[in-house]
Amino acid sequence: TVAWWTRPHVTNRARKVFNTRLHFESSACKIRFLQTLPIRETYSKSRQRLELIHNGLCASMPERSLGGSWYFITFVDDCTRKVWAYSLRSKDKALVVFSRWLAEVENRTRQRVKTLRSYNGGEYTSQAFKQYLLNKGIRHQKTVSYTPMQNEVTEPINRTIQERVTTMLQHASLKLEFWAEAVHTAIYLINLSPSKAIKLHVPQAVWLRTQLNYKGLCIFGFEAYAHIPREKKDKASAPLEKVHLSRLWDRRQLRLLTLGPRAQKANQK
């Protein structure tokens, strides 16, 4: 005979209320309450720059950026936790962006990337991507499909970037099409903030091996006025034009996004 309390398939906690001495479990209950085992860290912390690079590709954004992008891809150095981000129009551009990023960092550091860790997506398993890594002598580590927990570095960073982008756009009262500018701003601030993974050191300072200057920081999206050159303005137009500043910390990377009739949208990379 089957006990009456097993028929509703109640939980173990409810069964204890009926009788603490009884121990029973049907096969249906075992299947219903199956859970994935926790994933532990399977790699040791790298000691040199570019020894291990974590790579992640964010899901499609709700709206196209000013430059026509739908995605953004991130690269994280495991040793310094320095982060890079690039916006993409389509996922198949991942190889193009990776090759450009690889040439840039290897040229600046005079060091070579040894290992790339990414998820097991189609853009990383293509024959072109495999051949490129083989020619560069880069080892490729791929996580199990539909298991983002294995990529414990880029997944939290991408989630943090998306949360900061939403907050900055709402605070600045800007449309979603400015998300790419907000992404680059969020990456810049992450690199200037202490990281728990490197004992509260600053990723940018560890990467550059120098002290940083925070004097140029400003609020994202605040209003400013840009001077219009004499060659580009009409006789009746004002000498200044209202703009929104996205970044003002580096004079070489000054970005002005105009929202007036002369709107000149910034091209995203």
Side-chain angles (χ1 to χ4, degrees):
T1 60
V2 180
W4 65 270
W5 50 77
T6 64
R7 295 172 183 173
H9 298 281
V10 296
T11 61
N12 291 333
R13 182 178 298 179
R15 292 169 188 162
K16 292 179 181 179
V17 177
F18 297 126
N19 194 333
T20 56
R21 298 179 182 178
L22 296 177
H23 179 73
F24 55 88
E25 220 173 12
S26 66
S27 58
C29 287
K30 292 181 179 180
I31 296 175
R32 175 188 174 189
F33 294 107
L34 284 177
Q35 295 181 355
T36 304
L37 295 176
I39 297 177
R40 302 177 182 178
E41 291 189 1
T42 57
Y43 75 98
S44 57
K45 186 75 169 58
S46 57
R47 299 182 180 181
Q48 298 180 356
R49 294 184 300 178
L50 303 183
E51 184 176 352
L52 172 62
I53 298 298
H54 301 272
N55 175 230
L57 183 61
C58 184
S60 177
M61 300 299 286
E63 189 171 338
R64 189 190 302 267
S65 70
L66 294 177
S69 299
W70 287 101
Y71 310 89
F72 70 87
I73 187 173
T74 54
F75 303 97
V76 185
D77 179 50
D78 187 73
C79 177
T80 64
R81 294 305 167 99
K82 161 83 171 174
V83 185
W84 296 264
Y86 297 86
S87 53
L88 303 176
R89 296 191 177 187
S90 58
K91 289 186 177 182
D92 58 356
K93 300 296 182 182
L95 177 57
V96 177
V97 173
F98 175 72
S99 61
R100 185 176 64 181
W101 170 84
L102 184 68
E104 178 183 350
V105 295
E106 289 187 346
N107 182 50
R108 290 187 177 183
T109 60
R110 302 298 179 184
Q111 294 175 309
R112 299 186 61 183
V113 174
K114 298 178 177 60
T115 304
L116 174 68
R117 172 172 291 185
S118 67
Y119 74 101
N120 201 10
E123 55 274 8
Y124 297 104
T125 58
S126 64
Q127 189 62 32
F129 204 98
K130 291 180 180 180
Q131 189 63 38
Y132 183 83
L133 295 180
L134 183 63
N135 295 338
K136 292 292 184 180
I138 300 176
R139 180 186 177 189
H140 194 191
Q141 297 179 353
K142 293 173 288 187
T143 60
V144 179
S145 301
Y146 307 106
T147 313
M149 298 80 71
Q150 286 188 334
N151 207 344
E152 64 274 10
V153 177
T154 55
E155 285 296 327
I157 286 182
N158 286 347
R159 184 168 59 251
T160 300
I161 294 172
Q162 290 179 329
E163 292 173 352
R164 294 191 180 187
V165 166
T166 302
T167 303
M168 286 188 293
L169 292 180
Q170 290 180 353
H171 182 267
S173 299
L174 293 175
K175 298 180 180 180
L176 286 177
E177 61 183 359
F178 289 92
W179 66 260
E181 284 296 322
V183 165
H184 293 299
T185 303
I187 291 296
Y188 184 83
L189 296 177
I190 289 175
N191 289 331
L192 291 183
S193 304
S195 175
K196 183 179 179 181
I198 53 177
K199 300 180 179 180
L200 297 182
H201 292 292
V202 179
Q204 186 73 2
V206 179
W207 172 262
L208 297 178
R209 299 173 181 176
T210 184
Q211 295 183 352
L212 303 178
N213 186 357
Y214 293 87
K215 293 182 179 180
L217 291 175
C218 65
I219 300 176
F220 174 84
F222 77 92
E223 295 180 354
Y225 289 88
H227 185 270
I228 302 176
R230 181 179 301 177
E231 294 79 10
K232 294 186 178 182
K233 66 180 180 180
D234 302 329
K235 294 183 179 179
S237 61
L240 299 178
E241 184 175 7
K242 187 177 180 179
V243 298
H244 282 252
L245 291 180
S246 60
R247 294 185 285 179
L248 192 59
W249 48 81
D250 190 345
R251 293 184 179 275
R252 294 173 299 177
Q253 298 183 2
L254 183 63
R255 300 294 295 275
L256 298 178
L257 300 181
T258 63
L259 300 181
R262 288 177 172 266
Q264 298 175 355
K265 297 181 179 180
N267 293 326
Q268 305 300 326
K269 296 181 180 180

